[in-house]
Amino acid sequence: VGIRVEFVGEGMDTVYTNSRLFVSADGIPCWEDFTVYAIYSDGSEETVWENVDMYPYISPAEPGPFDLTFTWVSPDGVTYEYVVSMTAVLPEPIMSKYYFSRAAGYRGNVNGVSLKKIIFTDDVVPTEGLATIDYIGAPVRSSVIAWRLEGQEDTLYISSGRPGVKVILPDNYDEMNTGFITEIDCRMLDTSRCTSMPNFWANGGAFQSGIQKINYSGCDFSNVTNLGAAFNTYRSLQYLDLSNCNFSSVESMSHMCYNTPNLIKVDMSGTIWTPGKLTNLEYAFGGSGLQEIDLGGMETSAVTTVQGMFVNDKNLLYVDLSGCDLSNVTDAAYMFQDCQSIERIDFHSAGMPNLQETLRQMFDNCKNLKTVDLSGINFSNEIGR
């Protein structure tokens, strides 16, 4: 007897552990994904394996090779079997937008407590004290688990369920509903595939509506080229931790935190940059409520514009730019305009010797400014203006 096996779509040579063998990547039971045909010596052909109840057949609990045996009886009463060798692998813990929304955004309150905080972790699921548990990864391709604990129902923990393995965020994640959260901790989130900053949603809109604290410390954003407007108009945001993030491909931070009136602190210490990449800082932190900012020696040697970088930051007392080489800046207009509380500004020793456009109103209405070293700034193009 001859055998022909036809795989449709994904195929089934590689499958997933945890009893997920017979679920396809789109969630359809995969007996619709392959068919086995028997070809007999007289030339007749019979479909011997199609739409079979696959629930008794599951993949191994651990990854590795295994055999799947097809058995059938031919029209003349002979019993045949056919063995297909397969490999079981662990599913990647990739976030699913839809399942995340179900667990985080649409579940409402649990035990009368609304969700306020999301923490990504690499912890395993607790064995006791669970208030809720949801599987929020895409079927087959992912194993992501979310849970809340009794007495701590306002916090959603999201994990791969495997110690030391981070949950993965796909390349472009936006419009991910997070309910009414005010805080999100992404330190244990794998963002290395992201091509833009994630856009989680809350309160029926984006982060702008209610999020107060975001912690991305240590995240890998090496595939992100543009931080422009990444946190623009997050009107409730108070604390933004970007310390030790990898921004090695970023070229622009234009309007990154613009119009964030309640933003108190931004930490960019220890961030990773590629020399010569970043060129644009215009209005990066303008219109904010900043009281404290740590730029941590951000690599700025190729930056050409800092126009309005801190404009209208009325609460800012001190800015340390001593680690930021602004020697290629040509436009610094409105850089500190209306920073009414600022008392001290420290520039890099190289100053801004190449100003070609304007530094018009650079310190306009900085009525409390007491200390600033202007010796490295080129005023020659301002004569006669």
Side-chain angles (χ1 to χ4, degrees):
V1 64
I3 298 294
R4 185 173 88 250
V5 181
E6 290 189 359
F7 294 108
V8 179
E10 294 291 324
M12 293 301 299
D13 55 337
T14 300
V15 297
Y16 298 87
T17 61
N18 302 322
S19 303
R20 297 183 178 205
L21 169 56
F22 296 107
V23 181
S24 66
D26 55 5
I28 299 173
C30 74
W31 54 72
E32 298 183 14
D33 279 358
F34 68 93
T35 304
V36 179
Y37 301 93
I39 305 170
Y40 300 111
S41 58
D42 62 1
S44 63
E45 183 174 302
E46 179 186 10
T47 301
V48 297
W49 197 272
E50 181 183 43
N51 296 326
V52 176
D53 180 7
M54 293 295 189
Y55 286 110
Y57 304 89
I58 60 174
S59 61
E62 299 296 331
F66 71 103
D67 292 335
L68 179 63
T69 303
F70 303 96
T71 304
W72 73 96
V73 179
S74 68
D76 59 2
V78 179
T79 298
Y80 293 96
E81 72 176 24
Y82 180 71
V83 178
V84 175
S85 296
M86 295 187 171
T87 301
V89 298
L90 288 171
E92 281 194 297
I94 300 175
M95 285 294 298
S96 161
K97 183 186 303 184
Y98 170 77
Y99 286 88
F100 182 88
S101 297
R102 184 184 70 184
Y106 302 142
R107 284 292 298 268
N109 65 59
V110 173
N111 297 334
V113 180
S114 296
L115 180 64
K116 295 296 182 184
K117 185 176 181 179
I118 294 175
I119 298 177
F120 288 92
T121 177
D122 63 349
D123 293 340
V124 297
V125 181
T127 56
E128 298 179 354
L130 287 175
T132 62
I133 185 168
D134 286 278
Y135 294 89
I136 61 175
V140 171
R141 291 180 177 275
S142 177
S143 58
V144 179
I145 305 168
W147 68 85
R148 301 190 214 184
L149 301 175
E150 294 178 354
Q152 199 180 346
E153 288 86 351
D154 64 343
T155 302
L156 183 74
Y157 293 90
I158 301 177
S159 174
S160 68
R162 306 201 293 268
V165 179
K166 293 182 179 181
V167 172
I168 300 169
L169 208 61
D171 58 350
N172 190 355
Y173 233 57
D174 58 3
E175 302 182 13
M176 197 154 76
N177 193 309
T178 53
F180 290 85
I181 65 165
T182 58
E183 181 176 345
I184 186 164
D185 185 340
C186 296
R187 287 176 293 175
M188 292 303 296
L189 179 64
D190 184 347
T191 55
S192 61
R193 303 185 190 186
C194 291
T195 55
S196 61
M197 293 296 287
N199 185 5
F200 299 89
W201 284 54
N203 298 341
F207 261 159
Q208 294 91 316
S209 302
I211 193 70
Q212 297 173 14
K213 184 176 181 180
I214 305 174
N215 192 340
Y216 281 123
S217 181
C219 284
D220 182 356
F221 291 112
S222 56
N223 282 312
V224 175
T225 59
N226 186 11
L227 290 176
F231 306 98
N232 191 316
T233 320
Y234 283 29
R235 300 189 64 82
S236 297
L237 184 60
Q238 297 177 17
Y239 299 96
L240 177 61
D241 191 342
L242 299 174
S243 62
N244 302 304
C245 285
N246 186 333
F247 293 129
S248 56
S249 297
V250 170
E251 300 171 358
S252 175
M253 288 172 55
S254 174
H255 295 79
M256 185 178 84
C257 293
Y258 188 72
N259 195 18
T260 50
N262 290 296
L263 183 59
I264 297 172
K265 180 179 178 179
V266 174
D267 186 353
M268 297 187 72
S269 61
T271 46
I272 299 172
W273 306 82
T274 298
K277 277 280 187 181
L278 182 64
T279 61
N280 191 338
L281 285 171
E282 63 178 355
Y283 297 95
F285 305 101
S288 74
L290 274 175
Q291 298 177 17
E292 182 180 350
I293 184 167
D294 187 342
L295 298 176
M298 187 168 57
E299 211 296 316
T300 55
S301 61
V303 170
T304 58
T305 177
V306 291
Q307 177 174 315
M309 184 175 176
F310 299 101
V311 66
N312 202 30
D313 289 352
K314 299 184 186 301
N315 300 320
L316 196 57
L317 296 176
Y318 169 56
V319 176
D320 184 1
L321 295 170
S322 60
C324 299
D325 180 359
L326 302 177
S327 58
N328 280 308
V329 167
T330 60
D331 185 358
Y334 319 114
M335 186 176 183
F336 296 98
Q337 185 184 35
D338 284 324
C339 290
Q340 297 179 15
S341 301
I342 200 163
E343 296 180 355
R344 179 179 171 184
I345 302 170
D346 287 347
F347 283 105
H348 189 277
S349 58
M352 285 185 269
N354 292 308
L355 283 176
Q356 298 173 9
E357 300 296 330
T358 178
L359 49 80
R360 181 164 53 95
Q361 296 176 266
M362 183 176 180
F363 303 103
D364 187 44
N365 206 23
C366 294
K367 54 188 179 183
N368 286 301
L369 184 59
K370 300 174 182 177
T371 304
V372 59
D373 184 355
L374 302 177
S375 61
I377 295 180
N378 175 20
F379 288 96
S380 62
N381 290 323
E382 295 299 302
I383 298 174
R385 291 182 181 233

